[in-house]
Amino acid sequence: MSDLPKIISVDDHIVEPAHLWQTWLPKKYREHGPRVERRGIGEIRHTGGGRYEQTFDPDGPMADCWVFEDLVYVHKRHVAGVGFSREEMTMTPMTYDEMRPGCYDPAERTKDMLANHVDGSLSFPTFPRFCGQTFTENSDRELGLECIKAYNNYMVEEWCGDSNGVLIPLIIVPLWDAELAAAEVRRNAERGVRAVCFSEIPAHLGLPSIHSGFWDPFFQACEETSTVINMHIGSSSRMPATSADAPDGVAATLSFNNSMTSLADWLFSGKLVQFPQLKLAYSEGQIGWLPYLLERADTVWEEHRAWVGRDGITPEPPSEYFRRNVFGCFFKDYHGIASRDVIGIDNITFETDYPHTDSTWPESKTVAEKHLLGLSDEEKYKILRGNAIRMLSLDRV
C-alpha cells in the first residue's frame, strides 16, 4: 500500500441538533418531547456516566439545554470539544453557535471525517446517553418508545442519509422491554442498520443482567440480523472510581474498567454459546487490558474447572469466545498494539472519538501512523478498516 488505508471509525458521537425530536416525533408527542431552551448556567458538576447536576443563573454563561420532563441537559464544551485547544476543553456551558458545525450537522460532519482520512464513522448518542438510558428513565413508556423511534429514524434518514456511506447508522432500543428492543432491531435491519447500542453492565441501570434470560429475544434479533452490540464506556451510567471525592483523573484513567468487567461477564455467561454468531464491540474501551483478562479467564476456566466454567455453560476456553465474537476498539493504545498477536489481529478496530476531548481529530491519520509503525500492510488494513467492515457488515473493500 502506498498510503495508510482510509479509517472506518467505530466510535464517534453526535450532538443531536435542536430540531431532532420536534421534527421527527409524531405531532401528538412533540409538546412533551425533548426540546432545546437557552438558559443561563451557574455551576455544573459531573456525577458519572453522562449524568450532571447544575444550577441556573440568568446572569451566568448561556447554554443550549435539552429539556425533557424533569431533566435538563446542558451542552458543554468537553463534549463538543473539537476546534478548541486541550486547555479549553472544560465543562464550560455552550450553545450550538459555539460548536464546530460538524458536531450536529451531517454535511459538515461528513466533510470533517473525509478531511481526517476517515470514510466511515459510527456515532453514539449524547442526550439519550450511550445506550438510550434517558428514554428508559423517563416516566412515560409510550413517549419513551416514540422518542427512540424518532431518534432512529433521524439517524438513518437524515444523519446518514446523504453522506454516501461516510456516516454509518447506530440505533438505540427500549431497554425496559427485550421484545420491543428486538422489534426495533429488526425494523432497522430491514433498512440496512447493523449496529445497536447496549449497556456494558445493564444491572447497574436497574435492569436484568445478561445471565437472566430477559435479553434473549434482543440477542436473538441481533444474531439473526448480524447487528453488532456496541457497549460504550459509561453505558452503565457509572464510571469506575475509588471514592466519591477522588479526582476526575482517577475515573478517566480507569474508564476501561467497566469494559473489562463486562467482558468477563459475557465470557462466562454462556450467551456466546447460545448465540454463536453474536457480535460484541467494546467502544472506547481501549485494548491494552485484554491480554491479561483473557489469560486470567482461561486460567480460571482451567484451574477452577471443578466449579467454574465446565458445567456446560462455557465448554470452550473463554478466550475462544472473545476471538470469535468480540471486537476491541481503541484510539491511543501503544501497549495494546504491541500485544496485537495475543489479542488477535482480527479483533482490533480503530476510532477517532469525534467530537470529545479524547478525539484524535484532525490528526487521526498521524496518530494511526505512529501506532501502526512497523506493522504489515495487511495488519494496518485490518485494524483501520477491514475488521470494522466485517464487524458492521459493510459492503466495502
Side-chain angles (χ1 to χ4, degrees):
M1 296 180 184
S2 59
D3 198 6
L4 204 67
K6 288 288 181 67
I7 296 164
I8 295 178
S9 172
V10 298
D11 170 41
D12 295 307
H13 299 266
I14 174 177
V15 176
E16 295 81 15
H19 72 267
L20 195 158
W21 282 279
Q22 294 302 310
T23 298
W24 287 88
L25 270 174
K27 288 184 179 179
K28 65 177 288 189
Y29 297 102
R30 291 177 189 172
E31 180 182 355
H32 299 291
R35 64 190 185 278
V36 169
E37 296 179 0
R38 186 162 291 187
R39 299 186 179 186
I41 307 301
E43 297 181 353
I44 300 178
R45 184 174 70 90
H46 185 213
T47 59
R51 290 175 170 172
Y52 300 84
E53 293 179 351
Q54 62 271 319
T55 60
F56 299 97
D57 180 354
D59 297 321
M62 301 303 293
D64 286 327
C65 310
W66 282 107
V67 179
F68 181 53
E69 292 191 330
D70 295 330
L71 174 65
V72 179
Y73 175 87
V74 179
H75 283 309
K76 296 162 289 291
R77 193 184 293 168
H78 74 295
V79 174
V82 291
F84 293 95
S85 69
R86 293 291 175 187
E87 292 73 23
E88 294 173 316
M89 293 181 183
T90 61
M91 215 176 293
T92 303
M94 71 186 313
T95 66
Y96 285 102
D97 300 332
E98 299 168 276
M99 296 179 196
R100 187 174 180 85
C103 294
Y104 57 85
D105 182 287
E108 294 301 317
R109 173 66 66 91
T110 299
K111 292 178 185 176
D112 279 355
M113 293 294 101
L114 292 172
N116 194 37
H117 201 70
V118 174
D119 70 353
S121 170
L122 193 73
S123 286
F124 284 81
T126 296
F127 172 67
R129 307 216 306 279
F130 294 144
C131 65
Q133 301 102 300
T134 295
F135 299 124
T136 293
E137 294 168 355
N138 75 293
S139 60
D140 185 334
R141 289 286 188 241
E142 181 181 350
L143 176 59
L145 180 60
E146 292 298 329
C147 286
I148 287 167
K149 290 181 176 180
Y151 177 87
N152 294 339
N153 291 340
Y154 165 83
M155 169 61 59
V156 174
E157 298 177 40
E158 184 173 337
W159 180 254
C160 299
D162 295 328
S163 71
N164 197 29
V166 173
L167 304 181
I168 302 166
L170 173 62
I171 63 164
I172 56 177
V173 293
L175 297 171
W176 63 88
D177 187 317
E179 294 285 358
L180 286 176
E184 190 64 4
V185 166
R186 290 193 171 96
R187 180 178 82 91
N188 285 282
E190 289 179 357
R191 48 185 181 173
V193 178
R194 294 294 181 266
V196 62
C197 301
F198 188 60
S199 175
E200 58 202 354
I201 310 172
H204 283 350
L205 301 178
L207 298 167
S209 76
I210 62 170
H211 312 290
S212 64
F214 173 87
W215 299 104
D216 287 1
F218 169 66
F219 296 156
Q220 183 176 354
C222 291
E223 182 182 48
E224 290 177 355
T225 59
S226 297
T227 299
V228 61
I229 296 174
N230 299 265
M231 295 173 283
H232 197 283
I233 57 168
S235 57
S236 60
S237 295
R238 294 189 193 180
M239 293 297 280
T242 53
S243 61
D245 57 352
D248 290 338
V250 175
T253 300
L254 296 176
S255 60
F256 71 92
N257 193 276
N258 281 350
S259 298
M260 183 169 63
T261 303
S262 174
L263 180 58
D265 214 26
W266 275 95
L267 293 180
F268 284 101
S269 69
K271 294 304 174 184
L272 300 179
V273 179
Q274 185 179 356
F275 304 104
Q277 303 304 314
L278 201 61
K279 293 183 288 186
L280 312 176
Y282 281 98
S283 311
E284 207 173 315
Q286 310 305 323
I287 59 175
W289 51 272
L290 280 165
Y292 179 69
L293 187 280
L294 296 175
E295 177 186 338
R296 177 59 183 165
D298 282 356
T299 297
V300 167
W301 182 87
E302 178 63 34
E303 301 299 335
H304 300 267
R305 59 186 178 271
W307 60 284
V308 172
R310 299 288 186 95
D311 52 6
I313 296 178
T314 50
E316 297 178 76
S319 62
E320 292 299 316
Y321 303 114
F322 170 80
R323 294 192 174 90
R324 188 161 59 231
N325 299 88
V326 184
F327 295 86
C329 314
F330 84 101
F331 50 80
K332 285 187 178 179
D333 191 338
Y334 289 101
H335 182 73
I337 291 299
S339 303
R340 64 191 178 278
D341 292 338
V342 179
I343 296 168
I345 195 65
D346 294 323
N347 300 85
I348 301 172
T349 59
F350 189 75
E351 57 189 58
T352 73
D353 199 30
Y354 184 110
H356 285 185
T357 54
D358 268 322
S359 181
T360 55
W361 186 91
E363 304 295 338
S364 297
K365 183 179 181 182
T366 300
V367 170
E369 286 173 335
K370 290 179 179 178
H371 274 77
L372 306 186
L373 187 65
L375 273 64
S376 69
D377 285 350
E378 181 182 11
E379 289 175 316
K380 293 176 183 177
Y381 171 79
K382 286 185 174 184
I383 291 171
L384 296 183
R385 188 174 187 82
N387 292 338
I389 290 173
R390 182 164 50 87
M391 179 180 112
L392 296 166
S393 302
L394 300 176
D395 184 18
R396 303 196 191 180
V397 294

